[in-house]
Amino acid sequence: MIVRIDLGVLEFDVSDLTASQADARLHELVRERERTAFVEMCAQFEASGLSERSCECGGELKVKDRRRRTVSTLGGQVEVSVRRLRCPDCGAQVRPLDVFLAPGRRHTLPVIEAGLYLATDISYAKSAGALAKLTGARISHGQLQRFAEAEGPRIDAELHRAADDLYGLGLDPGEIVTRTKDDTLVIAIDGGAVPDRATGDDFEAKVAVLYGVRTQVSKGRHALVDRVGYAGLEDSVTFAKRVSTLAIQHGMRSAGRVLAIGDGAGWIRRMIRDFLPGAIYLLDLFHLKRRIREVLCEDADAELFERVVGACVAGDPETALRLLVSHSPGPEKIEAHRKLLRYIKTNATGIANYARSDLFGSGCVEKGVDLIVSRRFKGLGRTWFKPGALGMLKLRMLRFNGQWDHYWAERLAAA
C-alpha cells in the first residue's frame, strides 16, 4: 500500500540565532516531524486494514478495544494507537497494525542497529545513554545486551550451514574468491582469553584471519586488501570445520600455496593437520622468540640467543635444539628450559618450514584478536557470560570484516 504523509514546511525565525543555534533548532524540528510522520504512517496502515472487516468464518470483525503502544524510533519515542478486532461469531481476534508493526516490538530495527553499533565499542549502559542523546530513542542497557545475544546466532548462520553441509553431506561450499597458482593464501590462527563471569576464570575466543593480497599503503605500512576474519567460542573441531569452509570459499583450493600460522598451541597444530590439507604450517616467530627469551634473558646469553634464533629462522630446529641442550641454565630457569626444548621439538615442522616461506609472523591475527576480542572484552571489572560474549564477538567480527552495513541492510530487507 502507498502511505502519503505531508511533512509540511519548516519555518522559524533565525534573525536572533547563530548558525549553531539554528542547526540545533532545525534538528529538533526535523525529529519532531519524524515522530509525527511515524505515527501518521501507522495510522494510515491500520486504517487500510480496518476497511476489510470480513472474518475467515464469514462473520464481521468489530473493534473490541484500543490501546497505546510506545515505540522507539530514530526520531525518538512515539505513542501509537493500536485497535483490536474481534469476530463475535467465532471469537477470532486480530490487530491490523500487527502486519506492519510486529507485536511486542518496542524498538524499530534501525534503533536496535544503532544501539548495537555503539555497544561494539563502549559498554551497554554508555551505549544506551549515547543513543538517547543522539536520537532520542529509549533503550535500556539490559535490552541492548539481550539484542546482542539474540543477534549472534544469525550472523554466521550461512557459514555454519555451509560447514555442516561440507562435513555432513560432502557438499562443496564453492569459491567466493578464486585465486591462481601464483597466489598465496595466508591463514593465521590464535585465541584470546575472555573473563568468565560464571566461573571467575577465563574462556577462549578463537580467531582466524585469512588474506591473500598484501599491499603497501605508505612507508612501513601495509594493508591486507582481501582480509576476512572468523571468531567463535565453539570447540576446536567445530571451529576448524568452519574456518576450513571459509578458507575454501576464499580460494584455498585454487591458490598455489597456503600458509597456516599459529603460536604452537596443540589445537592449532591439529587443526592445520586435519582440516587444512596441503597447508604449510609456520610457527609464529614472535612467540618463538618470546619463549627463547624467557630462558636466554641474561646479558651473557645474548650471543647464544642470536645463534638459536638464527638457526630457527634458517629453518634448522635441530641445530637450535643442540645449542639449547648445551646450555646450562640457572636453577630458576631449569623448568622453563625444559619447556622450551619441548616447544621447539613439537613445533619443529613449523620452524623447518621457515625455509619455504618469507613470512614469519602472525601479526594479522594478533591484530585481529586485539580488535575483535581484547578491546571490548577486557578491562577493569569486565566479565561475560558465554551467550552474551558470543553475540558481541560476532558483532565485532562484522565490523572487523567491513560487513556491518551489508549485514544490516539484509536484516532490514528480511524484516
Side-chain angles (χ1 to χ4, degrees):
M1 63 170 289
I2 302 297
V3 173
R4 291 181 175 85
I5 299 172
D6 183 5
L7 296 177
V9 177
L10 292 178
E11 181 178 331
F12 58 98
D13 187 2
V14 298
S15 56
D16 294 327
L17 301 178
T18 66
S20 296
Q21 291 169 335
D23 185 30
R25 177 64 178 146
L26 178 62
H27 178 62
E28 182 50 44
L29 287 172
V30 169
R31 276 174 48 177
E32 184 180 327
R33 291 292 174 89
E34 284 185 49
R35 295 191 291 271
T36 302
F38 187 89
V39 173
E40 176 61 24
M41 184 168 52
C42 290
Q44 289 189 32
F45 190 95
E46 184 182 59
S48 175
L50 289 171
S51 64
E52 176 54 59
R53 296 294 189 92
S54 298
C55 180
E56 291 182 356
C57 73
E60 183 182 357
L61 295 167
K62 296 184 177 181
V63 176
K64 180 182 180 182
D65 57 33
R66 179 198 306 250
R67 67 184 181 89
R68 309 288 292 178
R69 277 184 61 184
T70 300
V71 182
S72 280
T73 73
L74 287 179
Q77 286 206 155
V78 299
E79 278 200 349
V80 178
S81 176
V82 181
R83 281 176 280 191
R84 179 170 55 166
L85 305 180
R86 184 179 183 277
C87 176
D89 296 338
C90 68
Q93 299 184 75
V94 63
R95 294 185 181 91
L97 192 58
D98 284 354
V99 179
F100 181 66
L101 187 62
R105 176 64 59 84
R106 291 188 290 172
H107 309 87
T108 64
L109 193 60
V111 167
I112 295 172
E113 179 204 348
L116 292 179
Y117 187 88
L118 290 167
T120 57
D121 280 326
I122 56 179
S123 70
Y124 290 117
K126 290 180 179 177
S127 299
L131 187 66
K133 170 65 177 175
L134 296 172
T135 69
R138 302 290 177 181
I139 185 169
S140 72
H141 69 278
Q143 288 170 323
L144 268 180
Q145 188 171 352
R146 288 190 288 274
F147 284 135
E149 184 175 328
E151 205 62 41
R154 294 191 182 103
I155 291 173
D156 274 326
E158 189 174 333
L159 174 63
H160 294 180
R161 282 193 295 269
D164 291 342
D165 288 345
L166 174 62
Y167 287 95
L169 303 173
L171 299 179
D172 192 330
E175 287 189 338
I176 298 172
V177 178
T178 299
R179 305 186 188 277
T180 71
K181 295 304 178 182
D182 295 326
D183 292 333
T184 295
L185 177 67
V186 179
I187 307 171
I189 308 153
D190 202 356
V194 177
D196 190 344
R197 187 176 302 177
T199 65
D201 201 354
D202 293 331
F203 54 84
E204 186 175 43
K206 300 176 180 65
V207 179
V209 176
L210 296 73
Y211 70 92
V213 180
R214 185 171 182 261
T215 184
Q216 185 170 343
V217 294
S218 62
K219 187 176 181 180
R221 295 183 64 235
H222 293 80
L224 309 180
V225 177
D226 58 348
R227 180 191 73 180
V228 60
Y230 177 80
L233 301 180
E234 57 265 47
D235 63 87
S236 58
V237 172
T238 303
F239 177 81
K241 290 178 178 179
R242 291 168 178 173
V243 171
S244 63
T245 302
L246 186 66
I248 292 171
Q249 291 176 334
H250 284 263
M252 181 174 72
R253 290 175 176 167
S254 57
R257 185 176 66 161
V258 179
L259 303 179
I261 308 175
D263 63 1
W267 70 269
I268 295 178
R269 295 198 311 273
R270 291 189 293 271
M271 171 181 168
I272 295 170
R273 180 194 67 199
D274 297 338
F275 293 93
L276 300 174
I280 300 172
Y281 168 53
L282 298 172
L283 177 64
D284 175 50
L285 185 58
F286 172 80
H287 284 88
L288 175 59
K289 284 184 175 180
R290 187 171 65 183
R291 297 290 287 266
I292 297 172
R293 180 66 72 185
E294 289 174 0
V295 175
L296 304 178
C297 55
E298 305 296 335
D299 291 341
D301 301 328
E303 182 182 351
L304 180 58
F305 174 84
E306 295 298 332
R307 292 175 65 192
V308 172
V309 171
C312 290
V313 170
D316 188 0
E318 297 302 324
T319 297
L321 284 170
R322 285 197 298 271
L323 290 169
L324 286 169
V325 167
S326 66
H327 174 66
S328 299
E332 72 282 1
K333 297 291 182 182
I334 291 177
E335 181 63 16
H337 183 259
R338 183 189 66 79
K339 289 182 178 179
L340 175 60
L341 293 176
R342 179 169 179 77
Y343 182 73
I344 292 178
K345 287 178 182 178
T346 55
N347 288 283
T349 300
I351 297 172
N353 284 337
Y354 289 161
R356 304 171 62 187
S357 170
D358 56 355
L359 183 66
F360 299 101
S362 60
C364 61
V365 74
E366 294 286 344
K367 188 65 175 179
V369 170
D370 177 46
L371 292 174
I372 298 173
V373 181
S374 302
R375 296 191 187 185
R376 183 63 178 89
F377 289 89
K378 296 184 179 181
L380 186 62
R382 293 183 186 178
T383 56
W384 300 79
F385 290 115
K386 281 190 175 182
L390 179 63
M392 181 54 62
L393 188 69
K394 298 299 185 181
L395 288 166
R396 285 187 66 83
M397 189 187 72
L398 276 181
R399 293 189 60 180
F400 178 81
N401 287 337
Q403 296 173 343
W404 184 275
D405 290 341
H406 175 74
Y407 171 79
W408 285 100
E410 288 191 338
R411 284 279 282 122
L412 195 59

